[in-house]
Amino acid sequence: MGKINTVFEDCDILVIGGGMGGTGAAYEARYWGRDLKIVIAEKANIDRSGAVAQGLYAINCYMGMQWDENQPEDHVRYARNDLMGLVREDLAYDMARHVDSTVHKFEEWGLPFMKDPDTGRYLREGKWQIMIHGESYKPIVAEAARKSADKIFNRIMVTHLLMDESKPNRVGGAVGFNVRTGDFHVFRAKAVVVGAGGASHIFKPRSTGEGMGRTWYAPWSSASAYALPIQVGAKMTQMENRIVLCRFKDGYGPVGAYFLHLKTYTQNAYGEEYESKWYENTRQMVGDYIDHHPTPTCLRNHAFIEEVKAGRGPIHMVTKEAFQDPHLETVGWENFLGMTVGQAVVWASQDIDPKYINPELTTSEPYVMGSHATCSGAWASGPEDLSPDEYQWGYNRMMTVDGLFGAGDALGGTAHAFSSGSFTEGRLAAKAAVKYIRDMRTEQIKISEKQYQDLKTVIYKPMENYSVGQNEITGGTVSPSYLLPIQGLQRLEKIMDEYAGGIGVNYMTNEPLLLRGLELLGTLQEDLDHIGAEDLHQLMRAWELKHRAIASECVVQHTLFRKETRWPGYYYRGDHMKLDDENWHVLTLSRRDPESGEWEMEKAPVYHIVD
Ligand code: SFD
Ligand code: AMP
């Protein structure tokens, strides 16, 4: 590669990732910070980037406070119940009390909502979910962000955060590279909002070979939202709380619209209801939690997994009844055509017409994220008026690094936010970031040339490794001097699968496995210094892999720390097969020392601010 161009951008607020959280942040930053310079750096193109790229068929978090359908307290109870007691109730409440206004904005901006013909209200899919014609959800939301931001840098993979050199533990911006031109980008910013999404492909997926890109969570969700803060020593929480999803087989089509709106149900291979069979078994593991309503997502998975292990799989979704109604049949297909086209294609290609055949379901590989029925992510300060002292150290949604904020999957403790809640969190984070900047007054950020030049060398090293190592190619693309990103990714996925509770071991792990997993991740990290990238696309893959590897280490550290099985159906600690409220009704926190790479773990109390 020839000379690398360096592009500088100085701004007040830098938003990393223009997905749901990032677009929300840009929109709200402009509202409160009319005079501020707001910049988005996005790996893809915000019009179609992130988990909502293909569209969605439902907005899964809407209170309906205007009609008294639900109140924020109800949503806190729901999220807490589903997560087996452990969420950040202050953050959850804060999101819930603002989410309706976000949804109303989406409608104002042109997103088509389905309406109940009798009441004129948004059509409910379930208690929390409303139905949309959402193929263009992302471009509509992106338009609002485009109108708000001063500049949007598409195709920039952010690799590292910059730290202010005039004050300890304060962020000062970020660096990355343009995946098309190769330019090196240096963003100096007073505040940074990380909205870089969750993590797929840290565990081996069920899809292999040429199909490996088909996962439920977006394959481009590369754990950057976790790696960026971890690299600068931000605390993380609940990173063990990976999520396993019940999905239609092979296409990973979501099931919510089917269960909730079409009222379809599951049965085993012999046409039997099976969930109730596992009641006693589950009760012995988790006690009263099995009696909670609705049954927590992980416990529904548990019954599914056990029934299959008992030899009575596959589990089918009974669609044949609902699909006799032509309207429901249309909804069933449209649900996928507007959100997960691959599922409709799988059915067409496998001769599955759900009107006549009950399709198979599966349980997915684990994903790490913070916005679905799970709450992994960074440990963040809560809102002033709600949060107990221990959860509050300054500005809403600010991590334990000053000036570093987060939204959506990036933040921990905030389950069941989904698309609308993630956008809302972006808004809340940006509002606080504006206040933070105002409070800084005339203080300036100092970033030395050395800081970003050192990172520049690190960022492009995989291309250097390749150009030197290719002289030693022994056959095809194989060189003894480097590892290609795909090889490193498959190695990471295999380690996580076998040692940290993936599909290959029925989600089972234990202390010896986790300790060995950490050793293997350690050698993988060493080898990643020798990763080779033959072009800019592979350079992006290399950095995605490095981010996934750091996040994976964090997941394993947390899984090792929590000595109980809190969420059967997500993963099992074989050496601690029961939920243990006496010792583990807590949130887990980690911090990786940026200098030594050592991890420190601690427990944080769970405060129940809602009855
Ligand atoms: O049915 C970098 N989600 C659903 N939410 C709903 O409200 N309703 C649904 O119906 C949902 N379903 C669903 C959902 C997701 C998927 C994939 C499917 C179905 C198939 C969940 C939401 O999509 C999710 O909660 C939010 O999108 C999370 O928001 P956020 O902002 O945390 O993540 P993002 O939108 O993926 O955006 C991340 C952005 O960051 C970029 N990025 N940019 C620069 N540098 C880097 N290093 C970067 N790394 C990543 C990304 O490109 C992206 O733009 S259902 O299953 O429940
Ligand atoms: P999914 O399509 O599985 O991602 O789910 C979409 C929404 O429906 C989420 O809010 C889920 O928690 C909820 N959901 C899915 N399946 C069920 C179920 N069987 N019972 C209650 N809620 C569900």
Side-chain angles (χ1 to χ4, degrees):
M1 175 159 196
K3 187 178 168 306
I4 296 159
N5 211 12
T6 301
V7 182
F8 295 95
E9 190 66 41
D10 292 342
C11 59
D12 293 299
I13 299 185
L14 173 67
V15 178
I16 301 177
M20 291 310 290
T23 48
Y27 172 79
E28 195 76 8
R30 174 57 68 223
Y31 182 84
W32 298 99
R34 300 248 154 237
D35 54 329
L36 298 185
K37 185 165 175 191
I38 300 151
V39 166
I40 302 179
E42 160 60 47
K43 179 170 73 171
N45 182 313
I46 70 161
D47 277 350
R48 279 284 170 192
S49 69
V52 183
Q54 265 189 71
L56 293 177
Y57 201 67
I59 287 177
N60 282 345
C61 185
Y62 179 72
M63 304 295 115
M65 285 184 272
Q66 59 175 324
W67 304 304
D68 202 20
E69 291 177 334
N70 297 290
Q71 294 302 328
E73 292 83 353
D74 303 322
H75 193 260
V76 173
R77 290 186 195 104
Y78 168 60
R80 173 174 71 199
N81 171 58
D82 198 53
L83 272 287
M84 308 293 279
L86 312 184
V87 289
R88 275 283 299 272
E89 295 187 14
D90 57 332
L91 297 178
Y93 185 94
D94 193 30
M95 180 278 294
R97 67 179 163 179
H98 293 293
V99 71
D100 284 10
S101 78
T102 289
V103 172
H104 301 158
K105 290 205 173 302
F106 292 162
E107 189 175 22
E108 207 178 296
W109 297 338
L111 180 66
F113 285 68
M114 295 185 210
K115 298 276 171 69
D116 184 316
D118 298 327
T119 62
R121 298 177 182 179
Y122 296 139
L123 182 64
R124 281 280 174 196
E125 178 179 290
K127 187 170 167 55
W128 304 104
Q129 303 80 2
I130 52 177
M131 299 176 77
I132 54 173
H133 293 286
E135 188 279 338
S136 299
Y137 191 0
K138 189 63 207 301
I140 288 169
V141 167
E143 190 182 342
R146 273 198 272 111
K147 286 179 175 157
S148 303
D150 288 272
K151 276 192 185 176
I152 294 171
F153 289 83
N154 286 316
R155 310 282 172 206
I156 305 291
M157 163 104 204
V158 174
T159 55
H160 301 83
L161 295 172
L162 291 170
M163 293 302 279
D164 181 16
E165 290 164 44
S166 60
K167 191 169 174 223
N169 195 42
R170 185 158 83 178
V171 79
V175 293
F177 63 96
N178 185 305
V179 303
R180 296 280 163 85
T181 65
D183 287 351
F184 175 55
H185 283 257
V186 181
F187 299 93
R188 286 172 294 219
K190 290 183 182 160
V192 174
V193 183
V194 177
S200 59
H201 281 286
I202 70 173
F203 286 87
K204 184 156 81 182
R206 289 203 186 270
S207 309
T208 53
E210 65 174 18
M212 94 180 257
R214 184 82 289 265
T215 49
W216 167 72
Y217 215 41
W220 46 82
S221 295
S222 56
S224 301
Y226 310 126
L228 293 170
I230 291 171
Q231 281 172 324
V232 294
K235 282 188 185 175
M236 306 300 285
T237 188
Q238 301 293 91
M239 290 294 282
E240 70 279 21
N241 183 207
R242 75 294 288 280
I243 184 169
V244 169
L245 280 304
C246 167
R247 288 292 177 257
F248 284 101
K249 189 166 181 296
D250 298 336
Y252 292 86
V255 295
Y258 279 73
F259 275 131
L260 302 177
H261 191 72
L262 306 187
K263 309 269 186 274
T264 60
Y265 57 92
T266 54
Q267 61 187 24
N268 70 13
Y270 304 100
E272 299 157 350
E273 184 278 329
Y274 61 89
E275 277 191 22
S276 58
K277 274 193 244 172
W278 297 101
Y279 176 83
E280 269 313 317
N281 161 294
T282 315
R283 192 173 178 73
Q284 280 175 18
M285 295 176 80
V286 301
D288 292 347
Y289 287 89
I290 184 61
D291 295 323
H292 289 192
H293 293 287
T295 306
T297 307
C298 62
L299 300 184
R300 294 199 302 269
N301 285 352
H302 176 67
F304 184 133
I305 294 163
E306 291 302 315
E307 186 70 3
V308 173
K309 271 160 68 178
R312 292 186 288 272
I315 303 299
H316 289 117
M317 184 73 105
V318 181
T319 50
K320 284 199 277 191
E321 295 161 14
F323 272 60
Q324 298 312 313
D325 175 334
H327 171 67
L328 296 184
E329 183 185 16
T330 306
V331 170
W333 282 102
E334 276 186 1
N335 176 49
F336 293 136
L337 293 173
M339 170 171 68
T340 310
V341 181
Q343 186 63 57
V345 175
V346 165
W347 280 350
S349 69
Q350 294 184 356
D351 296 330
I352 296 169
D353 182 343
K355 195 172 179 177
Y356 305 110
I357 294 173
N358 292 328
E360 276 178 58
L361 294 171
T362 188
T363 50
S364 74
E365 61 281 358
Y367 306 102
V368 179
M369 56 182 299
S371 63
H372 203 282
T374 169
C375 59
S376 303
W379 184 237
S381 180
E384 273 171 29
D385 62 329
L386 283 179
S387 305
D389 287 350
E390 223 160 329
Y391 288 178
Q392 227 262 94
W393 51 92
Y395 301 86
N396 198 1
R397 264 76 182 177
M398 189 171 85
M399 302 183 193
T400 56
V401 170
D402 286 348
L404 182 59
F405 296 78
D409 286 329
L411 283 196
T414 60
H416 289 276
F418 295 98
S419 60
S420 47
S422 296
F423 189 94
T424 306
E425 284 189 341
R427 295 178 64 193
L428 293 166
K431 183 179 177 186
V434 170
K435 183 166 187 299
Y436 169 86
I437 289 174
R438 302 265 186 247
D439 291 347
M440 271 176 83
R441 296 173 193 276
T442 53
E443 273 183 79
Q444 294 301 318
I445 296 291
K446 186 176 162 229
I447 306 287
S448 65
E449 189 177 344
K450 180 172 177 346
Q451 188 180 165
Y452 61 79
Q453 288 295 359
D454 286 354
L455 288 171
K456 184 177 179 184
T457 310
V458 172
I459 289 172
Y460 293 94
K461 183 149 182 279
M463 298 195 89
E464 177 74 15
N465 289 344
Y466 183 85
S467 63
V468 175
Q470 68 173 332
N471 298 319
E472 299 163 25
I473 283 177
T474 49
T477 53
V478 179
S479 163
S481 310
Y482 59 70
L483 175 80
L484 294 174
I486 185 69
Q487 296 165 337
L489 180 66
Q490 287 174 341
R491 185 162 141 200
L492 172 71
E493 291 178 344
K494 182 169 158 67
I495 295 169
M496 292 300 287
D497 183 58
E498 293 172 356
Y499 294 92
I503 50 169
V505 291
N506 272 322
Y507 313 104
M508 179 65 74
T509 185
N510 61 28
E511 183 166 313
L513 281 165
L514 291 162
L515 288 171
R516 180 63 185 142
L518 281 175
E519 285 172 3
L520 292 169
L521 288 175
T523 46
L524 174 66
Q525 289 279 11
E526 284 173 24
D527 290 347
L528 291 185
D529 281 345
H530 305 282
I531 197 159
E534 64 178 295
D535 55 26
L536 291 166
H537 188 72
Q538 292 305 314
L539 186 63
M540 178 179 75
R541 290 280 179 259
W543 279 103
E544 289 179 337
L545 172 58
K546 283 167 186 264
H547 285 176
R548 286 184 163 109
I550 295 169
S552 298
E553 230 181 281
C554 187
V555 169
V556 177
Q557 291 286 358
H558 276 255
T559 311
L560 184 60
F561 185 61
R562 184 180 285 285
K563 294 182 177 38
E564 64 161 352
T565 297
R566 171 66 49 171
W567 306 276
Y570 287 174
Y571 76 95
Y572 303 84
R573 274 286 304 249
D575 44 354
H576 301 280
M577 278 297 275
K578 289 190 176 180
L579 180 147
D580 173 4
D581 256 343
E582 205 175 310
N583 296 300
W584 291 100
H585 194 88
V586 295
L587 301 169
T588 55
L589 303 188
S590 66
R591 182 177 183 273
R592 178 182 173 276
D593 185 314
E595 306 304 323
S596 66
E598 295 296 316
W599 293 85
E600 264 180 47
M601 304 297 306
E602 59 181 305
K603 293 179 180 180
V606 179
Y607 289 110
H608 297 298
I609 64 167
V610 166
D611 295 343

